[in-house]
Amino acid sequence: MINFKLNRLIPIIVLALITLFIAYYSIKSIRANAWYFNARNTLEQLSSPIKRSELKQAEKAITLAAKFEPSHPHYWHLNAYIKILSVSILNQPTVINAPTHQLAYQQAEQALLKSIELRQTWAETWIALAQVVSYQDGPTEQVYDYIQQAKKVGPYKLDVHLGIIQIALIHWSQLTPQYKALYVNELKLAVKYGYKFNQVFDIAKQSNSLPILCLSLQFGGDFDSVRKSYIFKKHCGSGK
């Protein structure tokens, strides 16, 4: 009789434990998602110029999201984005601190590596990793490998083209022929996106590389439409 009762009780206990387990992780996931959107909303409402307190709030929120659900790759990617964005605060004339720059980039790199460990098929994460490592070490072979991974999983992603162009323009004086050929190819791919190509001028302006970009666009049939555009004439003159 006792054995019969135990045989009936054991499945009930197991089912209750499974239910509690599922409920526990569901609540953690809900809380993580709430903190993630808290971070997203904070970033979407950033002041201009960005305030340090706003980034701190966003960073706290995404850190909690990753704490509650550390297996979510997008949380780590956003964490890295906030770290990189924090450098723009440090670049303000009143706040210059090279060691803090380095720490932010190192933390961003680790967050992106964690994101890739969890999801290797997102091109935006690979190109962000390439950018962060290039900020620290220049256009190295490792950066080139990360770029190739980004192109492999996202060959038609505009963000990938723009990321490669940015890396090339920032490190122009250090580029090998291999990198320069890659840069020209990415310009040709990016120009196919029509008006979105205008973002390339923003990238060049931010990195004080407009003369390099303008010279790159002066020749070749691939850039005929760009040379006729208002933004080209604005930044580069009338062209040919």
Side-chain angles (χ1 to χ4, degrees):
M1 188 69 177
I2 294 175
N3 287 338
F4 175 74
K5 289 182 178 179
L6 284 175
N7 288 337
R8 293 187 58 187
L9 188 60
I10 289 173
I12 295 173
I13 293 173
V14 170
L15 181 62
L17 289 174
I18 292 173
T19 302
L20 287 172
F21 179 83
I22 294 172
Y24 171 73
Y25 279 97
S26 295
I27 292 171
K28 285 186 70 175
S29 182
I30 291 169
R31 293 180 71 182
N33 199 45
W35 281 115
Y36 165 72
F37 279 103
N38 182 302
R40 279 275 306 269
N41 292 336
T42 301
L43 292 175
E44 288 172 359
Q45 299 172 31
L46 289 176
S47 306
S48 182
I50 300 171
K51 296 178 181 176
R52 183 188 295 272
S53 58
E54 294 172 327
L55 283 184
K56 286 291 185 183
Q57 180 182 341
E59 184 178 6
K60 178 182 178 182
I62 199 62
T63 299
L64 285 169
K67 178 181 178 181
F68 284 121
E69 196 170 5
S71 61
H72 200 306
H74 203 60
Y75 296 167
W76 293 106
H77 184 99
L78 188 61
N79 185 299
Y81 173 75
I82 294 170
K83 296 292 185 185
I84 298 167
L85 200 57
S86 71
V87 178
S88 67
I89 290 285
L90 299 171
N91 280 336
Q92 293 178 12
T94 54
V95 190
I96 302 296
N97 191 331
T100 310
H101 278 69
Q102 185 178 11
L103 178 60
Y105 286 139
Q106 288 173 349
Q107 292 174 336
E109 181 182 353
Q110 292 305 310
L112 289 168
L113 287 170
K114 181 65 176 178
S115 181
I116 285 172
E117 179 185 329
L118 297 166
R119 177 185 55 193
Q120 298 184 6
T121 57
W122 216 38
E124 288 85 348
T125 307
W126 283 108
I127 199 62
L129 181 59
Q131 289 171 300
V132 167
V133 175
S134 77
Y135 298 153
Q136 299 174 82
D137 304 324
T140 62
E141 280 299 317
Q142 184 183 42
V143 171
Y144 192 84
D145 289 343
Y146 289 150
I147 287 173
Q148 293 308 310
Q149 284 293 332
K151 288 176 67 64
K152 180 180 178 181
V153 297
Y156 307 111
K157 292 269 189 177
L158 178 60
D159 285 341
V160 172
H161 306 321
L162 295 177
I164 296 169
I165 291 167
Q166 184 196 47
I167 291 170
L169 290 174
I170 289 175
H171 302 288
W172 186 260
S173 63
Q174 302 171 258
L175 294 188
T176 62
Q178 181 186 41
Y179 261 104
K180 288 188 177 181
L182 177 65
Y183 160 75
V184 173
N185 184 62
E186 296 307 309
L187 282 177
K188 291 178 180 179
L189 292 172
V191 80
K192 296 178 181 179
Y193 288 79
Y195 73 92
K196 292 182 179 180
F197 184 82
N198 292 350
Q199 294 177 59
V200 175
F201 288 95
D202 295 332
I203 290 170
K205 188 175 180 180
Q206 290 166 7
S207 58
N208 297 316
S209 304
L210 275 172
I212 296 170
L213 176 63
C214 291
L215 184 61
S216 304
L217 300 174
Q218 285 285 355
F219 309 100
D222 295 284
F223 308 121
D224 282 343
S225 60
V226 177
R227 289 194 293 271
K228 295 174 184 176
S229 68
Y230 164 77
I231 194 166
F232 178 87
K233 295 174 182 176
K234 175 183 176 182
H235 292 297
C236 307
S238 58
K240 291 180 67 178

